[in-house]
Amino acid sequence: RFEEAQRARLWKELFPKLQQLAELAAHGRLNLTLDAEESDRLELQLDLLDALQQHIAGQATCAGWDGLGIAVQAYQSRADAAIDEVLARTRRNQSRLMLRLVKGAYWDMEIKRAQEMGLSGYPVFTHKHHSDISYLACAARLLEDANGPQALVYPQFATHNAATIAAVLQLADQQPDARFEMQRLHGMGEGIYREVLRHARIQHLRIYAPVGRHRDLLAYLVRRLLENGANTSFVHQLANQHVAAEDLLVSPLWRAEEAALPKPIGIYGYLHGELRLNSQGMDMTYITERSPALDAALALRVKTPEEIPVEEVNPLMHALHAGQTRWDAVPVERRAEILTQAAELLETRQDKLLALIMREAHKTLADAVAELREAVDFCRYYAIQAKALMRKEALPGPTGEANSLSLRGRGVFVCISPWNFPLAIFAGQVVAALVTGNSVAAKPAEQTMAVAQAFVELLWEAGVPRDVLALMTGAGETVGAALVEHPLTGGVVFTGSTGVARHIHQGLAAKEGPIVPLIAETGGINAMIVDSTALAEQVVDAVIASAFRSAGQRCSALRLLCVQEECAEEILTMLKGAMQELVIGPTIHYATDVGPVIDAEAQANILAQIARVEQGGGRLLARCAWPPALLENAQVTDNSVALTMQDDQQRNLHFVAPCAYAITHVSQVREEIFGPVLQVVTWKAGQIDALVDAINALGFGLTLGVQTRIDGRAAHIAARSRCGNVYVNRNMIGAVVGVQPFGGEGLSGTGPKAGGPHYLLRMVTEQAVSINTTAAGGNAELLAQGRL
């Protein structure tokens, strides 16, 4: 849990171990280096280093020891600032420090993180030669500070690049009293350093190597091979006889006029000839970025809108029906413009909306940010898709005839959304129907009507007419049923349980009048298949996020973990340990991992389902422990499984402790448990096809996870499975609009996939028009060519 959200725990649990390590290293006159590799952990590393320096200064047993160090990545755009900060703290503490300078090993991961999070820029340079320039600038700074007998820093330069080595040595010649060393990895750079040692002055050369078991080191070694085998790598180019020495030693001191990559906002490029912007995210590791939303959540008091009487449904539907005709006549470009404006309003007012999602839907800040970004993506994606889809299309035909195809809205769409994604799913349904020319009766879940009201008001402000979009607050049994049954309903979009979807389907089928389309997404018993080649740490990270994030209240959440017997003991042991590290509590606290379930009814349903699992032979593997602070405020407990407490505004919060149960066969899983409950089954080598067939036989088909390092096996499982979304070697949640279109089959829904290129087609009707142009007296085009 070495992360900003768990900062308080670092000082209680990690820092004492660092103190012990430092004292042991001092006693043995060994070096101890903190490796500040990831940009999102850099400030934590610097704070720990500062505290450790202060501790060492006060320890008699560490007197005279100068082996403490930190590694800095030169490819980070703030490398020079990090060095300035380290040097300033070192002077303040009057301690000596080794500073290890490297180019950086995880460039692609930093790029991916920034893109996935929708950050404003990258924490690393996008051009390799800019990293080289940064390295030299940092090296010059370190050598300058190391020059002289009172120097507090001892530079260590780790590189296999001959040009960089030569440049560093030249810089060192300008600081003759500077002590420093060069470093290389065991097995790499031997030839270069052999020649350098023969012809140049190097005070020290340190050879470093990984130590451990083969299975632990394999990923590290593969990473180093990929790194040094890349086309731009000096080691790779040195081995290429076709690369001239002059090209190898070209100076990095030149300016690139353009970035090597688009900024995170532009990673999606062009869709139908129009730039599709990525939604704006938040780097929550910075307190300045997260504080506004957290402060707003602390201050917010949710005001739930009143439910409309069921008698108001009929007049509202007639008003929407009348408004739809005018709305359908509005050019699609204007409707798309309104959606784009809505996306901008969502981003402009993100702090207030995030606070509302956190308070009403009990979401963590991270989940709230992801949800708001998904709503923004829906607005922009469907706006562009609609403009391309709804253009009148000319069709071929015989001479003297004009044929065309055009699309228009169906009428009034009833959009029924769930509480687990009160903004994202609600927005996706509503804006898709609106942009295609339909009017919308928007029926949100009763538990999260305030979020829905905020978005409807935002759409009105963006330009959606009030007679085209109505908020239908109320219970599903009354208001929802009246909307589905209404004769003016032209289509229904529903996300929720399979039972309710089936009831809606039956009601629509029994209704007099036109056959009405139903788009339903209904969750699933989602499985993850893990074979013996999978990386255990990667598996456990994916399982924790997939099963327990959002308290397991996601349609896509992992419900059934299928682990190969050969690796089950290791993975399940690690999983148990990881579960105990989860922090349960109110979601307005940044450190919380698992918040409450939505309400008392949901808590009771989950507890009843857990009881059925136990009655069916399920054996408890692990259950998260309650934090002591949570227990102090608890009002009700239930055998350590459930807990109810009041929050700071005297509202009841209902918790279920994340838990995992061992079962003997896939077929024992009878129902979806919509909460933080994971069931685990093992399988034998050679049974993969039978396992996939058993998962298919459950009847659901929403998400499937696959963890394997065998590409062919992953492809085979994906082809054999009957699931709408398959995720390989990653978690199973957080589908991104236009990137992972989301939706299932069988008991998991009807399709088409939300956030995909086919979704809007279900919301329109088609009209083909054929005109006999010769009826006007002849084919004017042929006559103009003089052919008659």
Side-chain angles (χ1 to χ4, degrees), residues 560-770:
L560 175 63
L561 177 62
C562 309
V563 188
Q564 189 173 336
E565 282 185 351
E566 286 77 0
C567 62
E569 183 177 358
E570 178 187 13
I571 286 176
L572 295 181
T573 299
M574 191 179 293
L575 176 62
K576 293 174 188 177
M579 288 176 64
Q580 297 312 316
E581 299 301 317
L582 291 172
V583 178
I584 309 171
T587 54
I588 56 172
H589 299 157
Y590 180 52
T592 293
D593 298 307
V594 181
V597 296
I598 191 65
D599 56 21
E601 182 182 358
Q603 183 191 55
N605 288 339
I606 295 168
L607 294 180
Q609 290 174 303
I610 289 174
R612 288 196 286 273
V613 170
E614 293 175 342
Q615 291 164 6
R619 176 174 56 87
L620 182 66
L621 291 173
R623 179 179 293 132
C624 292
W626 300 109
L630 203 64
L631 290 173
E632 290 174 4
N633 297 313
Q635 305 298 314
V636 180
T637 59
D638 179 16
N639 298 325
S640 302
V641 181
L643 178 149
T644 297
M645 62 170 285
Q646 288 189 331
D647 67 4
D648 58 320
Q649 296 181 7
Q650 304 304 305
R651 296 183 312 159
N652 285 333
L653 302 180
H654 306 277
F655 295 87
V656 175
C659 53
Y661 283 85
I663 59 174
T664 56
H665 194 267
V666 171
S667 60
Q668 286 179 255
V669 186
R670 303 289 186 183
E671 58 187 343
E672 177 186 26
I673 303 178
F674 208 73
V677 181
L678 178 66
Q679 297 182 65
V680 182
V681 66
T682 59
W683 56 279
K684 299 179 184 294
Q687 294 182 340
I688 192 67
D689 284 354
L691 174 63
V692 176
D693 291 345
I695 294 170
N696 288 340
L698 295 174
F700 293 89
L702 189 55
T703 63
L704 174 72
V706 181
Q707 295 280 339
T708 178
R709 282 188 278 182
I710 302 173
D711 292 346
R713 174 170 290 170
H716 175 76
I717 292 172
R720 194 178 185 93
S721 73
R722 306 300 302 172
C723 276
N725 290 70
V726 179
Y727 299 97
V728 179
N729 294 334
R730 51 153 289 173
N731 67 49
M732 298 162 51
I733 59 174
V736 177
V737 174
V739 178
Q740 296 114 10
F742 186 74
E745 58 181 89
L747 296 176
S748 292
T750 63
K753 287 178 171 291
H758 309 130
Y759 191 73
L760 299 183
L761 286 168
R762 190 66 67 88
M763 297 186 162
V764 296
T765 59
E766 301 175 272
Q767 184 180 57
V769 176
S770 182

Side-chain angles (χ1 to χ4, degrees), residues 29 32 62 159 201 233 248 256 305-306 374 448 519 529 677:
R29 294 304 176 205
L32 176 66
C62 297
T159 177
R201 177 183 69 89
S233 160
L248 274 173
E306 293 183 1
E374 187 176 357
T448 52
I519 304 172
I529 297 173
V677 181

Side-chain angles (χ1 to χ4, degrees), residues 500-523:
V500 174
R502 186 177 285 115
H503 181 74
I504 292 172
H505 173 66
Q506 292 169 347
L508 292 174
K511 193 169 63 170
E512 293 292 333
I515 297 173
V516 174
L518 168 65
I519 304 172
E521 192 272 282
T522 54

Side-chain angles (χ1 to χ4, degrees), residues 467-520:
D467 63 349
V468 169
L469 171 62
L471 181 65
M472 303 290 202
T473 53
E477 297 82 0
T478 55
V479 173
L483 290 169
V484 170
E485 296 167 0
H486 200 279
L488 293 179
T489 294
V492 177
V493 188
F494 170 78
T495 299
S497 72
T498 304
V500 174
R502 186 177 285 115
H503 181 74
I504 292 172
H505 173 66
Q506 292 169 347
L508 292 174
K511 193 169 63 170
E512 293 292 333
I515 297 173
V516 174
L518 168 65
I519 304 172

Side-chain angles (χ1 to χ4, degrees), residues 217-535:
L217 296 180
L218 185 60
Y220 171 88
L221 295 172
V222 169
R223 182 76 193 183
R224 299 290 83 78
L225 288 171
L226 289 172
E227 204 176 280
N228 289 282
N231 290 336
T232 56
S233 160
F234 180 88
V235 174
H236 175 84
Q237 292 180 323
L238 182 65
N240 188 342
Q241 296 180 355
H242 300 290
V243 177
E246 305 83 59
D247 296 331
L248 274 173
L249 300 175
V250 67
S251 169
L253 300 176
W254 58 278
R255 175 179 176 176
E257 296 299 328
E258 296 182 357
L261 296 170
K263 286 188 175 182
I265 196 173
I267 61 170
Y268 297 139
Y270 288 83
L271 178 64
H272 301 304
E274 183 175 345
L275 182 64
R276 181 199 161 198
L277 298 179
N278 187 11
S279 51
Q280 171 187 309
M282 177 192 296
D283 192 339
M284 284 165 281
T285 61
Y286 297 127
I287 191 170
T288 53
E289 291 206 25
R290 68 176 184 265
S291 288
L294 290 170
D295 291 345
L298 284 170
L300 179 67
R301 290 188 176 273
V302 178
K303 185 178 180 181
T304 303
E306 293 183 1
E307 298 185 9
I308 65 169
V310 70
E311 295 79 19
E312 289 187 18
V313 169
N314 186 55
L316 284 171
M317 288 295 285
H318 278 277
L320 290 171
H321 179 70
Q324 189 270 332
T325 303
R326 294 187 294 274
W327 178 246
D328 197 27
V330 172
V332 66
E333 291 78 10
R334 173 57 188 153
R335 298 197 299 260
E337 183 182 336
I338 291 172
L339 263 61
T340 302
Q341 174 64 18
E344 293 176 3
L345 289 173
L346 282 169
E347 291 189 331
T348 301
R349 299 171 188 175
Q350 72 165 8
D351 293 332
K352 292 182 179 179
L353 290 167
L354 292 175
L356 185 56
I357 295 169
M358 292 171 69
R359 276 292 189 182
E360 188 177 46
H362 307 311
K363 296 221 171 189
T364 63
L365 177 58
D367 284 343
V369 169
E371 175 154 5
L372 187 140
R373 292 187 63 208
E374 187 176 357
V376 171
D377 285 337
F378 272 130
C379 290
R380 289 176 176 156
Y381 181 78
Y382 287 148
I384 296 175
Q385 287 283 14
K387 284 187 284 187
L389 176 70
M390 304 199 75
R391 293 191 186 106
K392 182 180 288 188
E393 181 181 358
L395 302 176
T399 185
E401 186 173 285
N403 298 288
S404 64
L405 181 68
S406 59
L407 307 178
R408 59 190 181 195
R410 286 183 171 273
V412 184
F413 250 87
V414 173
C415 296
I416 304 174
S417 60
W419 48 259
N420 64 327
F421 283 91
L423 179 61
I425 292 179
F426 182 78
Q429 294 177 349
V430 169
V431 301
L434 286 173
V435 78
T436 45
N438 301 283
S439 57
V440 174
K443 162 62 182 74
E446 301 96 294
Q447 296 92 332
T448 52
M449 295 191 296
V451 173
Q453 181 183 45
F455 184 65
V456 166
E457 290 174 352
L458 184 144
L459 286 175
W460 287 339
E461 182 180 345
V464 176
R466 289 177 177 264
D467 63 349
V468 169
L469 171 62
L471 181 65
M472 303 290 202
T473 53
E477 297 82 0
T478 55
V479 173
L483 290 169
V484 170
E485 296 167 0
H486 200 279
L488 293 179
T489 294
V492 177
V493 188
F494 170 78
T495 299
S497 72
T498 304
V500 174
R502 186 177 285 115
H503 181 74
I504 292 172
H505 173 66
Q506 292 169 347
L508 292 174
K511 193 169 63 170
E512 293 292 333
I515 297 173
V516 174
L518 168 65
I519 304 172
E521 192 272 282
T522 54
I525 300 176
N526 309 307
M528 179 184 289
I529 297 173
V530 180
D531 75 6
S532 59
T533 71
L535 289 171

